[in-house]
Amino acid sequence: MSSTIQRIFIDEKLEPGLILKLSKEDSNYLANVLRLENGAKLKIFNEKYGEFLAEIVSSYHKACEIKILEKLKDTEKLLSIILGFAPIKHYRLCFLIEKATELGVTEFQPVITERTINRNVKIDKLFLTGKEASEQSGRIVTPKFHEQIKIEKFITSYKNHTILAAIESVDAKPFDFELDNDKVVLLVGPEGGFSEREKQLLLSQSNVKPVNLGPRILRAETAVCCLLSSINCKL
């Protein structure tokens, strides 16, 4: 079977024989953008039921219907990777969410810092970006998105876990930490970096480990990719 077959996340019960009506957005994408017709095959998936092969039985741009044919994969077991991040400008934030999803983040936690520019993130839009990245990258488990919190609350929320923090201009070792077996918690700062007060706050916490990402000053989204790539090399 071609690896280019379209994948769609569906948050419903999935099992062979069921006929499902797709959302208006997914229906429009399949019928009008991809121009798929009756009989075209696609893959559907969600975290609870796994991945299935389905075919279009009614191609209509507002209410496409599909029939589930067979199960392809069980759901996957992923290492829990929680990414705390200061929301950045919209188009770069979409890039951050997309690439972090591809690199295995399971939960996104927006964190408000003193220098955070984007303080009004729309979680539903971030979820759509994560959903599309999951569909494209072959993930079965789509990431979860939490409402934004202040950095102080983020620290206390994960006081029982090691927080790997990308803190610029701090004498830190290269990424050489052993990962927790159940959960990895990451923190990347905003454009302009953490304030001096925030740096001192982070460094005063026994569970916060500063991570060296190299000699250059990285954009927030680049730092996320660099940090996650280092983690993926350890999996």
Side-chain angles (χ1 to χ4, degrees):
M1 186 179 302
S2 172
S3 60
T4 60
I5 187 170
Q6 184 63 40
R7 300 178 76 245
I8 298 291
F9 169 79
I10 299 181
D11 191 16
E12 294 187 35
K13 179 180 179 180
L14 304 179
E15 65 178 31
L18 288 181
I19 294 179
L20 302 176
K21 182 179 290 187
L22 300 183
S23 68
K24 180 179 179 181
E25 293 76 16
D26 286 335
S27 296
N28 178 68
Y29 183 66
L30 294 178
N32 289 345
V33 179
L34 298 183
R35 298 188 180 278
L36 298 183
E37 300 179 347
N38 292 357
K41 301 296 190 297
L42 66 153
K43 295 176 182 178
I44 59 175
F45 68 95
N46 63 40
E47 178 177 353
K48 184 174 182 179
Y49 295 99
E51 184 175 71
F52 294 76
L53 179 67
E55 70 175 356
I56 297 175
V57 294
S58 176
S59 182
Y60 181 57
H61 71 280
K62 290 185 178 180
C64 197
E65 290 188 337
I66 63 172
K67 181 178 181 180
I68 302 178
L69 301 178
E70 61 177 298
K71 189 168 189 175
L72 300 175
K73 295 179 184 177
D74 290 323
T75 192
E76 58 190 346
K77 177 64 176 177
L78 297 178
L79 173 67
S80 179
I81 302 178
I82 299 170
L83 175 63
F85 67 99
I88 53 181
K89 295 176 183 177
H90 174 70
Y91 74 96
R92 286 168 52 202
L93 179 57
C94 290
F95 177 90
L96 184 156
I97 298 299
E98 178 185 273
K99 299 310 173 188
T101 298
E102 292 176 10
L103 289 167
V105 169
T106 55
E107 297 181 44
F108 287 91
Q109 177 59 72
V111 177
I112 300 302
T113 69
E114 292 181 17
R115 294 173 179 167
T116 298
I117 294 177
N118 183 0
R119 294 172 177 256
N120 189 29
V121 293
K122 294 179 172 55
I123 299 301
D124 56 340
K125 291 188 176 181
L126 295 186
F127 171 78
L128 288 177
T129 301
K131 168 182 174 291
E132 291 171 0
S134 297
E135 292 170 346
Q136 181 276 328
S137 64
R139 281 183 58 161
I140 295 177
V141 177
T142 55
K144 297 179 175 61
F145 292 83
H146 302 290
E147 295 295 333
Q148 63 189 30
I149 57 176
K150 292 184 177 180
I151 188 171
E152 291 82 2
K153 186 174 181 180
F154 177 83
I155 292 171
T156 58
S157 296
Y158 298 103
K159 62 183 180 181
N160 295 324
H161 295 275
T162 298
I163 299 175
L164 303 180
I167 306 175
E168 68 287 348
S169 302
V170 168
D171 184 17
K173 295 180 180 180
F175 189 97
D176 61 354
F177 304 103
E178 292 298 323
L179 301 178
D180 292 339
N181 292 327
D182 62 334
K183 187 175 294 184
V184 175
V185 183
L186 311 175
L187 178 62
V188 175
E191 297 164 301
F194 295 109
S195 69
E196 286 303 316
R197 182 193 70 83
E198 290 167 340
K199 287 182 184 180
Q200 294 306 313
L201 173 64
L202 289 167
L203 294 172
S204 69
Q205 310 300 312
S206 61
N207 64 315
V208 173
K209 303 295 184 183
V211 178
N212 186 331
L213 298 181
R216 296 177 180 82
I217 297 174
L218 305 179
R219 286 185 178 273
E221 65 272 30
T222 308
V224 167
C225 292
C226 183
L227 190 53
L228 289 169
S229 295
S230 297
I231 289 173
N232 273 268
C233 289
K234 285 182 167 286
L235 298 180

